[in-house]
Amino acid sequence: MIIVIFSVQIGKMIAASAGRKATIDNVVNAEQSKSTPVSTIKIIDPVDGYAEVADDHYIMKVQVDPGSTVLINSNDFSDLVSADGMLEASVNLPSEGVNDIYITVSAPNRSLVRQSVSIKRLPTNVADIASGTGEQTNNTPDQSQSEDEYIRKAWDIPYDQLIKYPRVYQNKIGLFLGQIEGLSIQNGISIFYLKLSSSDKLYIEYQGMLSPWKDGDNIKLYGEVDGTYDTLPRVKARYVYDQ
């Protein structure tokens, strides 16, 4: 008796309608790529993908899917994505001229997406000319400016950004809302903590008597960021109002 043994290797192949053969893996991957939506990314600021600034940093605003992983020039900003998917991130501009910023976003159950923007950092001499002799940059306090001018220059500075990038916000005018805590008067200066809605705190100094406010009152204040005090961001308040 002669026994003939055939060796047959069955690969993961299927025949397409036109007679072509394709591996099952490739077909599955192709189908998955078709069915998987891409992650959401909307550049809010700079609105046209380009801006020119005099500073060595730029505050980008990006809308993504909640829970997304967001890398900006390989730096992970995912922890700063809010519950509604909004991200405000301070991006360093290391050199004068055009700086290309790359944003990579990956949301759960969505495919990765990338976009880029260009921020031009103006040379120092050009920035000085643009701002005018003796004038201040847009967010730098000026003792001679009116109350209205001062308030218009205020930023709504996120606490997590202030903690993470203290140098970026140094001397910047900010708007802060919270509750007075531990109010005292020392050498004619009102000193207290401002307890924010997040339960984080700022150390506040206000030149003069903080009347008629007291501990527990909710206020809003405008002031300049001035380093830290005992690890807390310190703010020199200029104007205080009822919240």
Side-chain angles (χ1 to χ4, degrees), residues 64-110:
V64 298
D65 296 304
S68 293
T69 297
V70 182
L71 303 181
I72 301 180
N73 282 356
S74 299
N75 295 314
D76 193 342
F77 287 85
S78 306
D79 290 343
L80 301 181
V81 177
S82 66
D84 60 357
M86 182 62 67
L87 168 64
E88 292 190 16
S90 178
V91 180
N92 290 330
L93 305 176
S95 59
E96 295 180 349
V98 176
N99 291 262
D100 292 323
I101 312 298
Y102 298 93
I103 308 101
T104 305
V105 179
S106 178
N109 302 315
R110 290 176 177 263

Side-chain angles (χ1 to χ4, degrees), residues 24-98:
I24 294 175
D25 284 343
N26 288 345
V27 173
V28 171
N29 290 339
E31 290 300 320
Q32 287 178 340
S33 66
K34 290 179 182 178
S35 61
T36 304
V38 297
S39 301
T40 299
I41 178 171
K42 180 181 180 182
I43 308 297
I44 297 175
D45 198 357
V47 64
D48 296 320
Y50 178 81
E52 295 183 357
V53 297
D55 295 323
D56 61 356
H57 66 279
Y58 186 83
I59 305 297
M60 286 189 58
K61 295 182 181 180
V62 181
Q63 180 73 52
V64 298
D65 296 304
S68 293
T69 297
V70 182
L71 303 181
I72 301 180
N73 282 356
S74 299
N75 295 314
D76 193 342
F77 287 85
S78 306
D79 290 343
L80 301 181
V81 177
S82 66
D84 60 357
M86 182 62 67
L87 168 64
E88 292 190 16
S90 178
V91 180
N92 290 330
L93 305 176
S95 59
E96 295 180 349
V98 176

Side-chain angles (χ1 to χ4, degrees), residues 184-199:
S184 65
I185 309 296
Q186 300 179 18
N187 299 322
I189 299 176
S190 297
I191 297 174
F192 61 97
Y193 294 100
L194 188 69
K195 185 178 180 181
L196 309 178
S197 59
S198 61
S199 296

